[in-house]
Amino acid sequence: MFRQLMTLDEAKRIIDAQLGLKTLGAEEISLLQAYNRVLAEDVVATLDIPPFNRSTVDGYAVKAADTFGAEENQPVHLQICGSVSVGEAPKIIINAGEAAAIVTGAPLPEGADAVVMVEDTDIEGYVLSVYRAVTPNENVMKKGADIKKGETVLKAGQVLGASEIGALAALGLNKIKVFKIPLVAVLSTGAEVTEPGKALPDGKIYDINAYSLSTAVCESGGKPIYMGVVPDDTAALREALEHALTSADIVVTSGGVSVGPKDLTPQTIATLGKPGLLVCGIAVKPGKPTTIALVGEKPVFALPGHPASALLMFHLLVRPVIQRMAGRSMSEGKAVKALAATRMFSAKGRRTFVMVKLKPDDRKGLVAVPVESGASGAITTLAKAEGFVEIPENQQFIDAGEEVTVTLLKGAFMS
Ligand code: AMP
Ligand code: MG
């Protein structure tokens, strides 16, 4: 098959222009299922939080003015007129010279404007001695002080974590509209590729990509669907791809995209439907044979078999697509500056990604040390690497000691 390599930027432009990326719409879910989901609509408070003036301590609800002048050796005496507990509307009114016992979280009774802490009082019968004056609103959380009715509390696109979900609960919501999670079918290919957990016959290797790529799908905000391993056989591959397309919103395959006789993925994808192949090879290293297609409205990414190449290409091309479909902001990978530990060479005319470890150095700050260059088949390349250094297409090398930008891979894309 004739291959016209595109630049990485051209491939990204084609993804932007032709994949028609949008979210998959909203669904309503229970708040307990909301962790790490993306809000599909702004949330406006329909009530004040707290919904009433609330005591923040255990003590006595009073009129602050009644306590003025109270000191350790000169207490003010007030008459106990009742008590207020949590979870009920107060049935009493505080008049001048009166106080009511109150607990943390209970509503302030009418007439009171402050709470004296129990530690600053003594009680004998119905007479309360107050040894410390309070100011109006002291030890009181005012109605609406946390959230005001009408306020926009959370915005569409926000990812829900513990505190956001707490805020939704505070508003009394037990259901919430979130964007649907893109389903991503993950398919491995190759006669040698064996599912982990099974015996490993001679000449076979375990499937790495289905697992690393499925995890990367989760990190990107998608839900992976494991489609297993397909041998290098056109009919089997076609059937598996068709099944994947009906099961998911995006299909990601690995292996079988090079130019060997067993590399059948691109030509098989080409038969699945229009518009078909959009990108057949990218001028990058590693990851050159990466193929991208659109079948109907569903993107298909055929990544190389080498685990490190597959995962790198996923991060560069597939992750942003999943994020956009999931309604997530397209956070760029986090990056740090470091000094190149050695000269790093590029592949002529191709955007080159050098996997590096970061080492602290007393004099130079951070140093970027390449991990086993040229071994894109090794999963350890990625496992050892903290990130990658990018060398532009037209640059031959980065010299030792030059400042480089290291894009971090580990967890950097998790939101
Ligand atoms: P291919 O692109 O199919 O020629 O595969 C390139 C290299 O990656 C070969 O050494 C394959 O055995 C290896 N490979 C392909 N798929 C996987 C996989 N799912 N897990 C681990 N290694 C793989
Ligand atoms: Mg193969």
Side-chain angles (χ1 to χ4, degrees), residues 31 34 39 41-44 47 49 147 153-154 160-178:
L31 206 53
L39 260 189
E41 57 185 14
D42 290 356
V43 174
V44 177
L47 73 167
I49 306 294
I147 300 172
V153 181
L154 295 170
L160 300 174
S163 52
E164 290 80 14
I165 292 171
L168 294 167
L171 296 171
L173 298 166
N174 68 341
K175 294 208 164 67
I176 192 77
K177 278 210 174 119
V178 293

Side-chain angles (χ1 to χ4, degrees), residues 8 39 42 45 78 84 101 113 151 158 170 179 184 201 229 268 275 283 305 309 329 391:
L8 183 60
L39 260 189
D42 290 356
L78 300 173
V84 196
D113 62 0
E151 190 182 312
Q158 264 185 277
F179 288 119
V184 184
V229 185
T268 308
S309 316
S329 61
I391 313 179

Side-chain angles (χ1 to χ4, degrees), residues 188-189 192-193 205-210 254-258 263 304-307:
S188 298
T189 71
E192 78 283 29
V193 180
I205 57 165
Y206 282 125
D207 183 1
I208 296 171
N209 295 338
S254 65
V257 284
S258 301
D263 294 326
H306 288 304

Side-chain angles (χ1 to χ4, degrees), residues 4-24:
Q4 175 77 48
L5 292 188
M6 276 179 198
T7 65
L8 183 60
D9 292 336
E10 280 168 338
K12 285 181 179 169
R13 266 198 297 279
I14 285 180
I15 288 176
D16 283 348
Q18 305 214 27
L19 295 196
L21 295 172
K22 53 181 189 309
T23 62
L24 301 164

